[in-house]
Amino acid sequence: MQWIFQTKWNLRQEIIWDRGIAANIRGWRFWQVEERIYWLSKPKGKNLIGEELQSRHALLSSIWRIRPENNNTHPAPFPLALPLRCIFSVLNENGGIVIDPYCGSGTTGIAAKILNCNFIGIDNSKQYLNTAEERIANYQNFLKEAQLELDLHNVKESFSEKKAKGKTKNRFISPNQNLLNF
């Protein structure tokens, strides 16, 4: 994280990707089953933190328990849900340009294509660029998987809508529970 603090970007949030992989068989350290995703934003004038997330993303937490993709020739593939969640939560349906400087097998490009965003992928391996290009061209093969992630961004009523309807008062107290008054 030291490099982040040396830039003009703001660290908006650290997200933990819990890969849910097997335990450590060799005992020289604890097995690392998580990776970090850093949500950075560039300040615009006096707005240092950017725009607020829409309420439809409110069901998501800062710990993402998603298993890695297992049908991929790349040695370190991540699941489609990761870039889908990142791109959709930040851009919504506004489109934009998504840049992946280590595009590997093109999973971020697939997510960008599904979400109607432009994509720039960079990698130092011609083999991975060819794989990425082929996978992105066949993005329709990933639509069913993508829909499972996008369905998580479905909040029926926002807090402000519930509050306006009076649904937020004493919502953690059962009708049979007695209240103490002090």
Side-chain angles (χ1 to χ4, degrees):
M1 283 186 35
Q2 186 177 10
W3 70 269
I4 294 172
F5 297 122
Q6 294 175 3
T7 71
K8 293 184 180 181
W9 292 82
N10 291 326
L11 176 59
R12 186 151 175 196
Q13 187 169 14
E14 178 184 40
I15 298 164
I16 307 297
W17 171 32
D18 177 358
R19 298 177 297 185
I21 60 174
N24 188 7
I25 297 172
R26 303 176 74 190
W28 61 275
R29 69 179 174 110
F30 293 109
W31 193 252
Q32 188 166 351
V33 297
E34 86 288 346
E35 292 187 30
R36 303 293 192 273
I37 299 169
Y38 295 106
W39 180 4
L40 306 175
S41 63
K42 191 172 183 181
K44 292 182 181 176
K46 293 184 180 185
N47 183 350
L48 300 179
I49 60 170
E51 295 179 24
E52 186 175 340
L53 287 175
Q54 291 183 2
S55 62
R56 67 176 161 188
H57 309 299
L59 298 176
L60 304 173
S61 72
S62 63
I63 299 176
W64 298 354
R65 291 178 177 91
I66 307 169
R67 298 205 43 96
E69 183 179 342
N70 58 8
N71 190 18
N72 191 318
T73 58
H74 193 277
F78 52 81
L80 180 60
L82 286 181
L84 269 171
R85 189 173 292 185
C86 293
I87 297 166
F88 187 56
S89 296
V90 174
L91 295 178
N92 295 294
E93 283 99 12
N94 298 327
I97 301 173
V98 176
I99 301 172
D100 187 349
Y102 306 98
C103 76
S105 62
T107 306
T108 302
I110 294 166
K113 184 81 170 171
I114 289 170
L115 296 171
N116 296 314
C117 295
N118 293 316
F119 176 70
I120 299 171
I122 303 166
D123 205 289
N124 63 1
S125 167
K126 183 70 173 157
Q127 176 188 350
Y128 290 142
L129 287 174
N130 290 338
T131 300
E133 189 174 39
E134 182 181 328
R135 290 180 78 222
I136 294 168
N138 294 306
Y139 76 96
Q140 298 92 345
N141 297 338
F142 299 90
L143 292 176
K144 185 176 179 182
E145 179 184 348
Q147 194 59 54
L148 294 173
E149 169 59 33
L150 297 175
D151 286 346
L152 297 176
H153 301 256
N154 185 11
V155 174
K156 293 179 177 75
E157 260 183 326
S158 70
F159 180 78
S160 59
E161 290 167 337
K162 287 179 184 178
K163 188 175 180 181
K165 294 177 183 177
K167 293 182 177 181
T168 60
K169 294 182 180 179
N170 299 324
R171 62 189 177 123
F172 297 112
I173 300 172
S174 70
N176 300 330
Q177 189 175 4
N178 293 327
L179 296 176
L180 295 175
N181 292 318
F182 294 97

